Amino acid sequence: MNADVHALTGAYVLDAVSEDERAVFERHLGECDACRQEVAELRETATRLGTAVAATPPPRLRPAVMARLRDVRQLPPEGAVVPLRRPPRSWALRLSVAAAAVLLLVSGVLGELLVRAQNSTEDARNQAEAMAGILRAGDVQVVRQGDAASGRMTAVMSLSADRMLLLADGLPPAPSGHDYQAWTIAGDGARSAGLIVPRDGRANLEVTGIDSAKEVGITVEPAGGSPKPTTPTIMTFDLT
């Protein structure tokens, strides 16, 4: 199977493929477990992000909009309507559309943090600013670990900016008398990056010092944390 087909997962989820490409890719899905899993994860992520930032509009919004519709007339087109031509698809375009799925994840998380920042604590504002700084660096990477049963954790990071934002979702409380602790791990050992304390399954932690580390790991430590890891990692994010 042509390697190009594997790059269509993001475009397929975003409904940005032609009918011919859709037919080819759906045949490919019947043969490729990796692409089926990636499509399922991207769809789940899009759904979760949509519900995370959704808000119920105030009751007065609909009648106000309907009232304005009676007073506002649609403007006629200023010139002749020219049908758009569909540009030829290229390998670079497929890559950019697939990358849009990752951008959807990052921008959705940033949107959620900004919503929290408007209605929550100074810590939430700091996390939103950290995410914005990572995006400005231009080499953002997104790595996910965990599952629905044990809790998910997403790392949004930039090696050039030396920053990572760990985002926990559905993470159960640590065992009684213990905390989750993050570590930057290099050849000379592990250094504490802070504690992760989930509230309603969610937690955020900014991690620095990743430019000289090989991985970031999560362990379960006695309450308040430990100077060095005392248990095996339950999640690991490879930085190499």
Side-chain angles (χ1 to χ4, degrees):
M1 183 64 67
N2 192 313
D4 287 11
V5 176
H6 299 279
L8 287 177
T9 51
Y12 178 76
V13 170
L14 296 175
D15 197 25
V17 293
S18 68
E19 290 304 316
D20 290 342
E21 287 172 327
R22 184 186 304 279
V24 170
F25 186 71
E26 288 180 347
R27 285 197 300 270
H28 172 68
L29 282 179
E31 305 169 353
C32 182
D33 292 340
C35 284
R36 282 201 302 273
Q37 180 178 352
E38 186 172 352
V39 166
E41 289 177 351
L42 289 173
R43 281 176 171 165
E44 181 182 359
T45 297
T47 301
R48 287 170 53 209
L49 291 176
T51 56
V53 299
T56 303
R60 64 180 182 277
L61 180 60
R62 186 176 187 277
V65 171
M66 298 303 292
R68 288 289 296 161
L69 287 176
R70 291 192 294 267
D71 301 329
V72 178
R73 300 180 65 86
Q74 181 176 346
L75 295 175
E78 295 182 357
V81 177
V82 179
L84 294 176
R85 291 184 178 180
R86 181 183 179 90
R89 287 186 172 270
S90 65
W91 167 241
L93 179 59
R94 291 192 186 100
L95 281 180
S96 64
V97 174
V102 176
L103 179 60
L104 173 65
L105 170 63
V106 176
S107 60
V109 172
L110 177 59
E112 181 181 355
L113 287 173
L114 290 173
V115 169
R116 293 185 196 176
Q118 293 172 358
N119 302 285
S120 186
T121 64
E122 184 66 24
D123 180 64
R125 296 186 184 91
N126 292 338
Q127 298 295 353
E129 291 173 1
M131 175 69 83
I134 292 172
L135 293 179
R136 282 195 298 268
D139 64 337
V140 61
Q141 299 179 57
V142 180
V143 182
R144 290 169 290 178
Q145 293 284 358
D147 52 38
S150 61
R152 299 181 180 89
M153 194 169 292
T154 301
V156 184
M157 59 184 169
S158 164
L159 294 180
S160 65
D162 190 24
R163 302 172 85 176
M164 170 188 285
L165 193 60
L166 286 172
L167 305 157
D169 181 22
L171 190 66
S176 178
H178 294 76
D179 283 320
Y180 296 108
Q181 189 166 0
W183 307 88
T184 55
I185 304 171
D188 58 351
R191 293 179 175 83
S192 176
L195 300 180
I196 300 173
V197 183
R199 294 181 176 83
D200 297 327
R202 295 186 175 186
N204 306 318
L205 177 67
E206 184 181 2
V207 179
T208 58
I210 66 173
D211 60 341
S212 59
K214 293 184 176 179
E215 58 187 19
V216 170
I218 313 297
T219 64
V220 177
E221 301 294 334
S226 304
K228 298 293 181 182
T230 63
T231 63
T233 58
I234 60 172
M235 291 187 190
T236 302
F237 299 91
D238 187 1
L239 302 178
T240 59

